[in-house]
Amino acid sequence: MSNTLLQTSIEYLKGVGPQRGELLRKELGIHRYEDLINFFPNRYIDRTHYYKVNELQKTESEVQIIGKIINIKTVEFGKAKKRLVATFVDETGEIELVWFQGHKWIRESLKINIPYVIFGKTAVFGHTISMSHPEMELFTEHEKSLRSAMQPVYPSTETLVNRGISNRVINKMMMQLFVETQAKFAETLPLYLLDELKLIPKNAALFNIHFPKSQDLLSKAQFRLKFEELFFIQLQLITKNLVRKHKIKGHAFNIVGDNFNNFFQNHLPFELTNAQKKVLKEIRNDMGTNAQMNRLLQGDVGSGKTIVALMAMLIALDNGFQSCLMAPTEILANQHFNGLTELATNLNINIKILTGSTKTAQRKIIHEELENGSLHILIGTHALLEDKVKFQNLGLAIIDEQHRFGVEQRSKLWKKNDIPPHVLVMTATPIPRTLAMSLYGDLDISVIDELPPGRKPIQTVHRYDSNRLKVWKFIKDEIAKGRQIYIVYPLIQESETMDYKDLMDGYESISRDFPLPDYSISILHGKMKPAEKDSEMKRFAEGKTNIMVATTVIEVGVNIPNASVMIIESAERFGLSQLHQLRGRVGRGAEQSYCILMTSFKLSNDSKIRLETMCKTNDGFEIAEVDLKLRGPGDIMGKQQSGVLNLQIADLVKDKDILLVARNEALKLLKKDPSMTLPEHQSLRTVFIELSKKKSIWNYIS
């Protein structure tokens, strides 16, 4: 059918009108017919079964009953509050129907002694069974309506329910929409794809998602619509990548020269792992072409991303270009600066750092050296984005933990040059493959999936508070061997004062159990001044203290190879990725390292799964998969990107198999017909262009 009818404003649908139209727009984002047709149920209820009142004691779920209302009254309760109560009967007994809102119009609409079908959740108080705000339909209407055995339940809000837009009302709107459109919807996918994947047509899919005739047809409709949604996302992301490679010219770094070769042959602190070599090769190939590199480098904490970053910067330098590395926090920027300066000790290169706390005189020097080209590598925080920071020729921009930067911030870096620099995005947060394909599908992805040689996997155990004496004895034994210990307390913004008290109480009891002069303890928390933090961290790094008691400030911290034990207090209060990041602070040296997760006995089911996962594996990707299942994509990507995946029907956790199929099909199609101009791709191209105009996931810029 023509697209024009679907663009009609929602208030023109029979039964909607201006007031309801406004509510649908505000509460559910439904503006047009098209939005309503793509507003999918989130579950289904079997409406073939009718309960008798005397069967209700046994059930707590939603039920459907046929009966009559025999009287209605208003009951007062609490201070000036009222509820409307109706007595509903069938031949086996009676129940109460209760309304807390909308009394006037409900009272006017109810008919006495006429058969109704009611539907809702029952509650039992003493001997009285009640159902609040039931869905109601006259029995005569119920028999006539377009009803399937499986009744759809749509997402809703409190405001909608209170304003009388119940699930049944949305259901009626949907029926009306199918009447007005005659259930004819344009096919969006090429026919050969429907054949190949045995997908049902668009018409049948939309009808059976809203009015499923059977479980089998519902499953087919869901598969078809989930595939379509993920397929268009992948088409969009892959196209963006192809356009970037063909249209956005980059600098071709053809030379691998003295800086790179000298470092590689004479100053490598250790043999590169095969994973590092593979990643370097991918980066060299990218930078060698005249297309702009846009690569995501994933690697667990301690997998050796910094050395790969330096070697990429040396290639830029060999070709006469500058590089920058941007990190989200000063601690992280300083860590990169120290790490890179140490690696480059014997190389004749100029590396500087620019953060919020860089002094004015130093800034002036940095600005001058950047513009005259004598500064080769600049490390920094958001300070790099200031307009005053001008490069002579920026050839490579490396961004660490990019999900903590907004899109606008990143694009400022690109504009520092006429020709955009090559881009390498690094993250130590392992991203599950499905999420990476959807969020970073337009980036090429490299993974460092092995640790440098000589590293032993960290042993992780879970201990209850009652085992504390044994844990303390273990710590004393480790300190006797000359090792150092982290003890970390949770820090959650909302309860900062309580957390601070926990930390200080913990610090006092640890000081009693590990007294001077045999032991010495450092403390680190958010209320300290930067200079105090630095001096405490320095004392610990130099081995002057044996134990570091800290809040999660050390999550991204300094590399201390001698620290071999990480104790995480109240581990049940941490998320999986945070636990994994904290554990990565130990295991930096050749000695066996340990992570001990301390908890109380009261644990939720999710907490148990998190602790078991940590004890079972050190693999960041496996941990990220479990985290994705527990928390969903929105939480994992943080606030800045949680809106990215407003998927209407697909679910990245449950539907990863469909996502893989969708990505492969999109790759195949674009290889055969990159501009989608073949006759069989006409309708596909039209939909693709329409979707590209929308400000949802479709044109999210990575």
Side-chain angles (χ1 to χ4, degrees):
M1 70 167 264
S2 74
N3 215 8
T4 43
L5 185 55
L6 286 180
Q7 297 312 312
T8 311
S9 204
I10 195 67
E11 58 261 31
Y12 296 111
L13 184 70
K14 191 179 166 198
V16 177
Q19 278 180 317
R20 280 184 167 177
E22 187 51 37
L23 269 175
L24 291 174
R25 265 195 291 279
K26 228 162 72 195
E27 295 292 310
L28 300 172
I30 294 174
H31 298 263
R32 290 179 294 278
Y33 282 21
E34 174 187 38
D35 300 323
L36 183 61
I37 205 80
N38 290 316
F39 181 60
F40 300 122
N42 51 10
R43 60 195 179 92
Y44 298 84
I45 295 164
D46 179 2
R47 294 289 290 258
T48 50
H49 185 75
Y50 299 91
Y51 282 82
K52 296 288 181 207
V53 169
N54 65 357
E55 297 173 320
L56 294 181
Q57 290 283 5
K58 307 180 193 87
T59 173
E60 279 288 306
S61 60
E62 287 156 315
V63 294
Q64 182 169 244
I65 315 164
I66 303 169
K68 296 173 184 176
I69 290 174
I70 53 172
N71 73 4
I72 308 168
K73 60 186 178 190
T74 302
V75 178
E76 294 195 5
F77 68 103
K79 274 190 185 164
K81 287 183 180 168
K82 291 180 178 175
R83 61 174 180 245
L84 190 66
V85 178
T87 308
F88 185 83
V89 301
D90 70 2
E91 66 277 18
T92 70
E94 65 178 52
I95 69 168
E96 282 187 350
L97 308 182
V98 186
W99 292 269
F100 298 96
Q101 266 112 5
H103 297 180
K104 190 172 176 297
W105 68 264
I106 290 172
R107 193 164 198 149
E108 286 166 6
S109 67
L110 292 177
K111 297 178 168 55
I112 302 270
N113 286 322
I114 302 280
Y116 273 103
V117 175
I118 65 165
F119 176 77
K121 229 180 178 133
T122 55
V124 181
F125 296 105
H127 296 295
T128 312
I129 298 172
S130 68
M131 184 186 284
S132 48
H133 287 264
E135 282 185 29
M136 304 193 62
E137 198 172 19
L138 289 169
F139 185 67
T140 48
E141 295 287 313
H142 180 77
E143 288 194 303
K144 279 192 300 202
S145 65
L146 163 62
R147 163 154 278 95
S148 61
M150 314 199 45
Q151 170 104 23
V153 179
Y154 293 92
S156 187
T157 68
E158 205 175 332
T159 308
L160 287 178
V161 176
N162 292 343
R163 299 284 292 277
I165 301 184
S166 63
N167 193 57
R168 203 177 108 245
V169 170
I170 291 179
N171 222 310
K172 275 192 157 161
M173 290 176 187
M174 205 61 84
M175 289 177 194
Q176 182 58 33
L177 184 60
F178 272 82
V179 170
E180 288 188 26
T181 55
Q182 298 175 348
K184 290 187 177 133
F185 304 101
E187 183 52 73
T188 44
L189 298 174
L191 296 174
Y192 68 82
L193 206 52
L194 299 187
D195 284 349
E196 184 195 329
L197 298 174
K198 301 190 171 46
L199 298 173
I200 62 173
K202 181 85 173 200
N203 277 345
L206 284 172
F207 187 83
N208 281 289
I209 201 83
H210 294 295
F211 309 106
K213 289 286 175 226
S214 67
Q215 181 60 55
D216 179 50
L217 278 166
L218 172 62
S219 302
K220 286 181 170 148
Q222 285 170 327
F223 185 88
R224 150 76 209 230
L225 294 168
K226 285 174 176 185
F227 171 82
E228 181 176 349
E229 180 169 39
L230 295 168
F231 177 68
F232 277 107
I233 291 172
Q234 293 304 323
L235 276 182
Q236 185 82 12
L237 290 166
I238 298 162
T239 304
K240 203 177 270 179
N241 195 352
L242 293 173
V243 166
R244 182 181 278 123
K245 284 182 176 163
H246 293 131
K247 293 240 179 93
I248 302 183
K249 292 291 168 253
H251 306 284
F253 293 168
N254 301 318
I255 304 163
V256 176
D258 295 346
N259 288 297
F260 183 92
N261 289 327
N262 174 23
F263 179 73
F264 186 70
Q265 285 153 15
N266 308 318
H267 303 296
L268 263 187
F270 48 76
E271 171 78 17
L272 294 181
T273 62
N274 288 331
Q276 284 171 316
K277 286 178 187 163
K278 179 175 91 311
V279 167
L280 259 173
K281 194 170 166 193
E282 289 165 348
I283 292 171
R284 273 172 64 171
N285 288 346
D286 280 1
M287 297 201 304
T289 66
N290 59 359
Q292 183 206 19
M293 168 169 83
N294 223 24
R295 190 166 279 284
L296 172 70
L297 173 57
Q298 285 186 262
D300 239 328
V301 179
S303 60
K305 294 184 295 297
T306 314
I307 203 160
V308 170
L310 174 66
M311 292 170 87
M313 289 168 163
L314 294 177
I315 293 175
L317 188 56
D318 281 336
N319 288 272
F321 283 89
Q322 295 163 304
S323 302
C324 69
L325 191 160
M326 186 164 81
T329 63
E330 286 206 16
I331 291 184
L332 208 52
N334 277 308
Q335 189 184 324
H336 281 303
F337 176 67
N338 296 334
L340 290 169
T341 313
E342 194 182 324
L343 285 169
T345 314
N346 302 310
L347 306 175
N348 185 21
I349 58 176
N350 184 0
I351 305 178
K352 285 202 165 66
I353 181 166
L354 177 67
T355 67
S357 36
T358 307
K359 303 274 183 288
T360 315
Q362 187 59 28
R363 276 169 190 263
K364 209 166 164 243
I365 298 171
I366 289 174
H367 292 160
E368 280 170 15
E369 290 187 352
L370 268 187
E371 290 193 51
N372 69 30
S374 62
L375 179 54
H376 306 131
I377 294 174
L378 181 60
I379 317 279
T381 53
H382 299 78
L384 297 187
L385 303 174
E386 292 165 8
D387 294 338
K388 288 195 204 82
V389 179
K390 293 191 173 70
F391 292 81
Q392 187 188 56
N393 54 358
L394 179 63
L396 171 65
I398 299 179
I399 299 178
D400 195 25
E401 297 303 345
Q402 81 134 17
H403 56 277
R404 292 165 67 178
F405 291 106
V407 177
E408 303 76 28
Q409 292 174 312
R410 298 197 296 266
S411 63
K412 274 189 174 174
L413 262 187
W414 299 186
K415 294 175 184 143
K416 300 264 180 197
N417 263 35
D418 298 336
I419 294 181
H422 291 295
V423 178
L424 182 66
V425 170
M426 302 199 300
T427 178
T429 311
I431 302 161
R433 188 157 169 240
T434 46
L435 209 52
M437 280 193 299
S438 306
L439 281 171
Y440 304 116
D442 60 336
L443 293 172
D444 298 305
I445 298 180
S446 290
V447 178
I448 302 183
D449 50 11
E450 56 181 312
L451 289 177
R455 293 271 175 94
K456 295 186 177 127
I458 301 163
Q459 281 186 21
T460 305
V461 293
H462 170 209
R463 296 285 179 261
Y464 293 106
D465 292 334
S466 53
N467 305 112
R468 192 169 294 282
L469 286 175
K470 281 186 181 163
V471 173
W472 271 192
K473 172 161 185 341
F474 174 71
I475 295 179
K476 287 179 176 169
D477 293 346
E478 284 295 298
I479 293 174
K481 293 180 197 163
R483 314 268 183 271
Q484 287 167 287
I485 319 291
Y486 287 107
I487 301 179
V488 179
Y489 285 80
L491 175 65
I492 298 157
Q493 253 34 64
E494 297 86 81
S495 62
E496 208 167 308
T497 44
M498 200 176 90
D499 287 333
Y500 181 64
K501 188 178 170 304
D502 285 353
L503 175 80
M504 296 322 283
D505 289 351
Y507 176 65
E508 280 171 26
S509 80
I510 293 162
S511 305
R512 283 196 298 274
D513 292 333
F514 295 86
L516 286 160
D518 301 339
Y519 302 98
S520 95
I521 302 170
S522 284
I523 185 163
L524 197 63
H525 58 78
K527 295 192 176 183
M528 292 162 69
K529 294 189 171 67
E532 294 173 334
K533 283 185 193 167
D534 290 345
S535 94
E536 282 295 285
M537 216 54 230
K538 198 164 171 235
R539 284 175 62 211
F540 190 60
E542 289 168 357
K544 290 178 182 160
T545 57
N546 323 98
I547 299 174
M548 165 66 79
V549 179
T551 54
T552 38
V553 220
I554 60 141
E555 190 178 334
V556 283
V558 188
N559 186 2
I560 298 174
N562 190 42
S564 66
V565 182
M566 166 64 69
I567 291 180
I568 303 176
E569 294 285 352
S570 307
E572 73 276 16
R573 287 174 63 190
F574 290 89
L576 252 182
S577 62
Q578 219 181 3
L579 289 171
H580 181 62
Q581 289 279 345
L582 283 169
R583 171 167 66 184
R585 295 288 114 227
V586 295
R588 298 303 188 94
E591 304 306 329
Q592 178 62 60
S593 288
Y594 305 89
C595 174
I596 302 172
L597 308 170
M598 302 292 296
T599 72
S600 64
F601 278 106
K602 265 169 64 183
L603 294 176
S604 71
N605 214 17
D606 279 6
S607 299
K608 284 180 188 154
I609 295 172
R610 288 200 294 269
L611 297 166
E612 280 164 17
T613 307
M614 286 294 294
C615 295
K616 191 179 76 189
T617 179
N618 279 298
D619 179 341
F621 289 94
E622 202 177 316
I623 287 167
E625 289 287 350
V626 177
D627 203 19
L628 182 62
K629 281 189 182 127
L630 291 176
R631 293 196 297 158
D635 289 345
I636 287 193
M637 295 323 295
K639 287 197 175 51
Q640 256 143 339
Q641 301 195 3
S642 59
V644 173
L645 291 169
N646 285 331
L647 297 177
Q648 283 174 301
I649 188 164
D651 175 317
L652 286 185
V653 181
K654 300 187 185 112
D655 301 321
K656 59 180 186 189
D657 296 348
I658 305 178
L659 174 63
L660 290 170
V661 176
R663 186 164 177 87
N664 289 337
E665 290 299 338
L667 282 165
K668 266 197 311 202
L669 186 145
L670 290 169
K671 202 170 182 179
K672 175 173 143 191
D673 182 16
S675 49
M676 294 180 252
T677 44
L678 290 175
E680 65 262 37
H681 294 151
Q682 277 317 295
S683 58
L684 185 85
R685 183 181 162 82
T686 312
V687 178
F688 181 81
I689 291 167
E690 275 307 302
L691 286 173
S692 303
K693 293 176 191 165
K694 291 195 177 176
K695 271 277 175 241
S696 59
I697 174 155
W698 308 104
N699 60 0
Y700 170 68
I701 316 154
S702 189

